[in-house]
């Protein structure tokens, strides 16, 4: 079903069109000729001028996550879209432990190689996600064939080999690693994961040291969800600062930013952006998406083991997003990017967690089988109103 065009959307298009045309007049548009169907409509327009990443080139990298479907070349259209619009890429799943290293002696490099190759070909800021995490892990790393927990020395060795093998293979081709993912609870304690329970807090610093030994140049990040929560953020920053004083190499903190239309408040996100920067670390917005569906409960995190039963009430827009909600989504994206622009001196990168709505994990999490609309490209790969609202923020500026 097609969305009707409302005046607000026309405003976004006009703003963006002005920006593109003025850029073209200065000869800054990539490709000599202007496209013939420039922004003809959200379901049929084309966008040029270096895409959205080009508009934000003087502010921060603009990234997306590549799904396995895209990486297995089943969707070359999405690849072309990514190359056109973004300047950074993260592998959504391809480098996670259970995918790339499913058994002790088995490595599956196919998707990850393709991902890194894509980054090289398109000269993209390429992020490795993720070296040490509690989710998407083969249990055999922690538990032997008799169901007994493995001793700490063995687990530590496995972690060391995993990090060394992965970082060596892509040495010089990955610009940033999410070294440790989600090590802190929302209430501000160490997460009692197998890693922590087996190795204690020392695993955290060890992982960063190993990553630096393998790659002297890659930026090393700690990444977590709900980083706007003061207790969580403060604990994470305290631990990072403490380890850093003892020599742990770390360059930045990733705020995943799986947000909703109305929460968290911008002020909460802003406080964390400022706190991370005040700790002397770069801010990376690593997994931005905006959930437009009813909350299964008041859960705001992104702990991926959470799941709720499907019901029609929880899936109110199976055919199309009502215009009113599309307006809210565009406004939310615009507000978020205004905030990011305000703190462009602190923010190194803003990455969306996926490219098109159809591919988003939010269709299946935390409730399987819903139709969500969390990104800035629709299911056909066309820019949404939210895209134009973000692009419109740069309409009055010129890129040098
Ligand atoms: C998600 C992926 O998007 C899904 O495809 C997968 O089934 C589960 O993981 N925090 C992270 C990401 O750091 O790796 C998660 O990605 C989303 C939450």
């Amino acid at each position: 079903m097609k969305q009707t065009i409302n005046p607000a959307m026309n405003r976004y298009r006009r703003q963006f069109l002005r920006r593109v045309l003025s850029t073209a007049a200065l000869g800054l548009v990539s490709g000599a000729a202007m496209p013939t169907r420039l922004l003809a409509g959200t379901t049929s327009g084309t966008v040029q001028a270096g895409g959205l990443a080009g508009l934000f080139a003087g502010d921060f990298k603009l990234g997306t996550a590549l799904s396995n479907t895209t990486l297995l070349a089943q969707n070359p259209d999405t690849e072309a879209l990514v190359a056109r619009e973004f300047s950074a890429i993260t592998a959504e799943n391809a480098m996670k432990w259970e995918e790339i290293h499913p058994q002790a002696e088995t490595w599956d490099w196919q998707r990850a190689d393709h991902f890194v190759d894509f980054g090289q070909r398109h000269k993209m800021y390429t992020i490795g996600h993720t070296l040490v995490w509690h989710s998407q892990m083969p249990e055999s790393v922690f538990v032997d064939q008799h169901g007994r927990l493995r001793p700490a020395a063995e687990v530590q060795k496995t972690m060391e080999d995993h990090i060394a093998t992965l970082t060596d293979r892509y040495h010089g081709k990955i610009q940033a690693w999410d070294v440790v993912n989600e090590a802190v609870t929302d209430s501000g304690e160490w997460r009692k994961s197998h890693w922590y329970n087996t190795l204690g807090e020392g695993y955290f610093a060890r992982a960063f040291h190993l990553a630096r030994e393998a790659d002297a140049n890659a930026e090393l990040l700690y990444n977590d969800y709900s980083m706007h929560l003061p207790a969580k953020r403060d604990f994470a920053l305290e631990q990072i600062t403490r380890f850093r004083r003892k020599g742990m190499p770390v360059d930045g903190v990733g705020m995943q930013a799986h947000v909703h239309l109305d929460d968290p408040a911008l002020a909460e996100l802003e406080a964390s952006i400022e706190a991370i920067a005040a700790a002397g670390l770069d801010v990376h917005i690593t997994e931005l998406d905006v959930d437009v569906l009813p909350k299964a409960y008041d859960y705001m995190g992104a702990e991926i083991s959470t799941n709720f039963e499907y019901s029609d009430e929880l899936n109110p827009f199976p055919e199309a997003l009502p215009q009113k909600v599309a307006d809210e989504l565009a406004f939310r994206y615009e507000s978020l990017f205004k905030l990011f622009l305000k703190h462009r001196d602190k923010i190194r990168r803003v990455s969306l967690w996926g490219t098109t709505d159809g591919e988003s994990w939010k269709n299946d999490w935390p409730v399987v089988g819903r139709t969500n609309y969390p990104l800035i490209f629709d299911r056909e790969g066309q820019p949404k109103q939210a895209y134009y609202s973000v692009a419109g923020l740069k309409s009055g500026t010129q890129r040098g």
Side-chain angles (χ1 to χ4, degrees):
M1 206 207 281
K2 255 191 171 173
Q3 290 176 350
T4 50
I5 296 170
N6 75 353
M9 199 192 300
N10 280 333
R11 179 165 58 85
Y12 296 126
R13 290 223 190 89
R14 274 201 306 274
Q15 283 175 349
F16 187 60
L17 193 53
R18 253 203 320 273
R19 162 74 186 122
V20 171
L21 290 173
S22 59
T23 309
L26 290 172
L28 296 173
V29 174
S30 61
M34 287 292 286
T36 48
R37 292 188 304 132
L38 186 69
L39 304 181
T42 44
T43 54
S44 62
T46 55
V47 180
Q48 287 208 354
L52 207 54
L55 295 179
F56 287 88
D59 306 304
F60 35 70
K61 308 261 178 217
L62 190 73
T64 184
L66 298 190
S67 68
N68 278 344
T69 314
T70 300
L71 288 171
L72 291 170
Q74 285 164 2
N75 195 346
D77 290 349
T78 307
E79 280 204 9
L81 181 62
V82 170
R84 190 184 78 207
E85 298 287 342
F86 295 99
S87 56
I89 48 168
T90 310
E92 183 181 8
N93 286 300
M95 287 185 166
K96 290 175 181 172
W97 199 309
E98 74 174 5
E99 303 234 358
I100 204 165
H101 191 187
Q103 291 163 30
E105 305 303 327
T106 311
W107 287 85
D108 181 353
W109 299 110
Q110 192 197 2
R111 285 159 296 202
D113 281 358
H114 189 83
F115 165 75
V116 172
D117 179 59
F118 183 91
Q120 293 275 290
R121 271 188 287 127
H122 296 285
K123 300 193 171 36
M124 288 199 164
Y125 182 88
T126 304
I127 299 108
H129 175 79
T130 171
L131 295 172
V132 180
W133 190 24
H134 64 280
S135 283
Q136 295 181 267
M137 279 294 297
E139 222 198 345
S140 55
V141 169
F142 304 107
V143 180
D144 70 15
Q145 64 273 35
H146 308 295
R148 286 189 294 252
L149 285 175
R150 294 187 191 278
E154 204 175 314
V155 173
Q156 166 116 357
K157 173 89 173 52
T158 305
M159 181 182 95
E160 291 173 357
D161 289 347
H162 180 84
I163 294 178
T165 307
L166 202 40
T167 47
D168 276 354
R169 185 175 181 96
Y170 300 123
H171 183 268
K173 297 177 177 171
I174 293 278
Q175 278 69 53
W177 280 104
D178 287 340
V179 178
V180 178
N181 204 32
E182 304 179 353
V184 176
T185 65
D186 288 358
S187 54
E189 299 165 344
W190 288 114
R191 179 191 287 276
K192 304 299 178 291
S193 65
H194 275 315
W195 291 117
Y196 180 86
N197 292 339
T198 316
L199 302 177
E201 63 176 28
Y203 87 88
F204 189 94
R206 184 80 190 115
F208 280 87
H209 280 288
L210 284 164
R212 177 60 87 236
E213 278 164 30
D215 193 331
N217 296 319
E219 295 162 49
L220 306 182
L221 313 179
Y222 173 66
N223 186 47
D224 213 329
Y225 62 81
S226 295
M227 285 297 277
H228 62 282
L229 298 174
K232 182 170 197 164
R233 170 199 70 214
D234 290 347
F235 181 85
L237 289 178
E238 275 163 29
Q239 303 313 311
I240 291 170
T241 303
R242 185 165 62 86
F243 284 132
R244 206 178 180 196
R245 283 205 196 101
K246 291 192 261 176
M248 183 184 87
V250 55
D251 301 287
V253 170
M255 300 175 65
Q256 290 184 8
H258 296 292
V259 302
H260 293 259
L261 282 175
D262 51 0
D263 63 28
L266 292 179
E268 295 179 272
L269 292 167
E270 182 165 36
S272 288
I273 291 170
E274 287 171 341
I276 293 167
L281 296 158
D282 291 338
V283 177
H284 290 240
I285 306 294
T286 53
E287 305 183 12
L288 177 64
D289 48 24
V290 180
D291 195 329
V292 301
L293 299 182
K295 286 182 202 145
Y297 75 122
D298 247 359
Y299 182 77
M300 287 172 44
E303 168 52 53
I304 66 164
S305 59
T306 323
N307 248 293
F308 296 91
E309 202 172 321
Y310 176 92
S311 71
D312 284 346
E313 289 92 74
L314 290 176
N315 189 30
F317 316 127
E319 301 297 332
L321 194 62
Q323 187 56 54
K324 180 176 168 295
V325 190
D327 288 345
E328 285 168 21
L329 181 69
F331 180 73
R332 179 68 160 158
Y333 263 106
E334 182 173 337
S335 311
L336 287 163
F337 272 80
K338 258 189 203 160
L339 177 69
F340 301 151
L341 282 174
K342 180 178 171 194
H343 294 288
R344 60 206 280 280
D345 58 326
K346 307 172 187 69
I347 296 179
R348 175 100 173 95
R349 162 181 58 113
V350 177
S351 289
L352 289 130
W353 200 238
T355 307
T356 65
D357 281 343
E359 278 194 314
S360 168
W361 75 305
K362 293 303 268 178
N363 294 302
D364 288 310
W365 187 91
V367 180
V368 174
R370 297 198 294 180
T371 306
N372 214 330
Y373 303 82
L375 297 168
I376 58 173
F377 291 95
D378 69 14
R379 286 173 162 72
E380 280 75 47
Q382 296 300 322
K384 291 161 60 178
Q385 188 181 335
Y387 174 101
Y388 296 113
S389 71
V390 171
L393 290 171
K394 300 296 291 181
S395 61
T397 61
Q398 294 300 334
R399 185 164 46 100

